[in-house]
Amino acid sequence: MILVTGASGSVGRRLVRRLAGTPTTAFVRDPAKGDALGGRYAVGDFDDPATLSAALKGVDRVFLNAGGAVPAAGEQPMVRQQLAVIDAAVAAGVSHVVKLSVWHARVGGKLAEGAHGVIEEYLKASGLAWTILQPNGFMQNFSTGTAVTTHDGHLLGAYGDAGVSYVDCEDIAAAAAATLTDPRPGETFVLTGPESLTHSEIAEKLSAFVGRGIRYLDLPAADFATHLTTLGLPDSFATDVATLFAEVASGRLAPVSTDVATLTSRSPSTFDTFLRENATQIRAAW
Ligand SMILES: NC(=O)c1ccc[n+]([C@@H]2O[C@H](COP(=O)([O-])OP(=O)(O)OC[C@H]3O[C@@H](n4cnc5c(N)ncnc54)[C@H](OP(=O)(O)O)[C@@H]3O)[C@@H](O)[C@H]2O)c1
């Protein structure tokens, strides 16, 4: 039995769909979201250990996935939550955990990179067999309203002219399904799309697709942080986000990896394919 945590999320629900036919339980907070997934599910919360233990009965493999970085003071909540899942998995006798992390995860990194770095180290020291998936930014950030925009609908950031090899959540889910059904213990995979695009190129593609002029406006990192505080984000979070964006501007998210193809035996989706396959959400978001 596989337990998929974060099953209602952007990767989790695609993974549950791909695992149809393999004994799988989706871990959800909201029964309505479990019903919508259409298969077996357990209701619980990472912050309620008893629900984790109950959901892990009879489970031998776990997909470890929770929400991303949030404007919280101190340690990111995902650290406490994912460490609780790892502890419960050890206690339940789980054999293998596939963890959804982030590219460049490392102890001491900013926001999600630092939080995932701590969780990765904890998982590696747990005695469980593990596989780590380190995706680049999700293409779905451009269909869910996660991308930062101006009040009149242009793309805003501090990425400069650097490319980013965004990856489609469908490809992350396919890679996760592959490593859950054909385990690759002790391996870390970097998941990217097949091409590196600048944010000006992404804005051009969005413009052509939705039929409205969308530009990419690039700000110096400090100005971008100030803009985020005007949106209500705490100063320290805004500064960390701007620092991460400035690191992206150095090109660290531009390289293209072959790991999606290695795990799934097919090429990852291009941004154009992502636009076509998510047309309704893209048009609603832009
Ligand atoms: N977005 C990106 O570009 C990106 C890039 C690389 C890596 N990542 C990583 O990918 C992961 C998923 O990120 P996301 O923002 O895309 O998340 P998401 O799709 O919103 O998924 C988060 C999932 O966690 C569940 N969850 C949250 N709190 C929970 C709790 N207390 N108990 C049980 N379930 C809980 C959510 O359930 P509900 O439906 O009930 O809220 C949801 O199913 C994060 O670890 C993030 O760091 C993201």
Side-chain angles (χ1 to χ4, degrees):
M1 175 71 70
I2 296 172
L3 184 73
V4 175
T5 65
S8 53
S10 41
V11 173
R13 62 176 181 277
R14 291 174 167 87
L15 174 60
V16 169
R17 200 175 61 234
R18 283 178 180 273
L19 289 174
T22 303
T24 300
T25 301
F27 188 73
V28 291
R29 286 193 282 192
D30 177 354
K33 292 187 179 179
D35 287 338
L37 289 169
R40 180 188 162 106
Y41 66 87
V43 177
D45 194 300
F46 297 137
D47 290 317
D48 182 350
T51 62
L52 285 170
S53 311
L56 283 162
K57 284 208 176 75
V59 165
D60 59 343
R61 283 157 290 166
V62 170
F63 181 63
L64 179 55
N65 171 35
V70 294
E75 186 182 73
Q76 284 291 320
M78 75 163 97
V79 174
R80 177 188 74 239
Q81 295 175 339
Q82 297 202 22
L83 266 44
V85 179
I86 293 167
D87 289 343
V90 171
V94 164
S95 62
H96 188 193
V97 171
V98 174
K99 168 167 168 51
L100 184 65
S101 181
V102 67
W103 197 7
H104 300 297
R106 65 196 182 285
V107 175
K110 299 279 185 207
L111 299 175
E113 292 182 354
H116 283 299
V118 171
I119 300 163
E120 286 190 6
E121 293 306 311
Y122 195 82
L123 176 60
K124 289 175 180 174
S126 69
L128 295 161
W130 54 267
T131 304
I132 292 170
L133 304 178
Q134 295 186 333
N136 204 343
F138 298 170
M139 289 183 184
Q140 274 70 9
N141 294 347
F142 297 96
S143 62
T144 55
T146 310
V148 182
T149 56
T150 61
H151 69 279
D152 52 352
H154 296 288
L155 194 55
L156 192 63
Y159 304 105
D161 293 330
V164 176
S165 55
Y166 283 102
V167 60
D168 192 324
C169 288
E170 281 297 348
D171 293 318
I172 303 171
T179 52
L180 284 160
T181 53
D182 185 9
R184 307 278 298 241
E187 292 190 71
T188 297
F189 298 95
V190 171
L191 307 179
T192 76
E195 62 196 339
S196 185
L197 297 171
T198 66
H199 284 75
S200 297
E201 289 168 333
I202 289 171
E204 272 172 37
K205 286 182 181 293
L206 288 168
S207 293
F209 192 77
V210 301
R212 168 174 84 75
I214 298 170
R215 282 175 295 125
Y216 169 59
L217 305 173
D218 194 64
L219 293 178
D223 294 357
F224 184 66
T226 304
H227 174 76
L228 293 178
T229 59
T230 65
L231 298 178
L233 292 172
D235 286 356
S236 61
F237 185 79
T239 305
D240 284 354
V241 172
T243 303
L244 281 175
F245 274 45
E247 287 174 6
V248 177
S250 72
R252 71 204 281 264
L253 297 185
V256 167
S257 133
T258 54
D259 286 356
V260 168
T262 300
L263 290 171
T264 68
S265 305
R266 62 174 181 75
S267 297
S269 290
T270 62
F271 200 80
D272 290 332
T273 303
F274 157 74
L275 291 175
R276 274 197 307 279
E277 291 185 353
N278 296 272
T280 307
Q281 298 94 315
I282 304 279
R283 294 206 167 93
W286 294 93

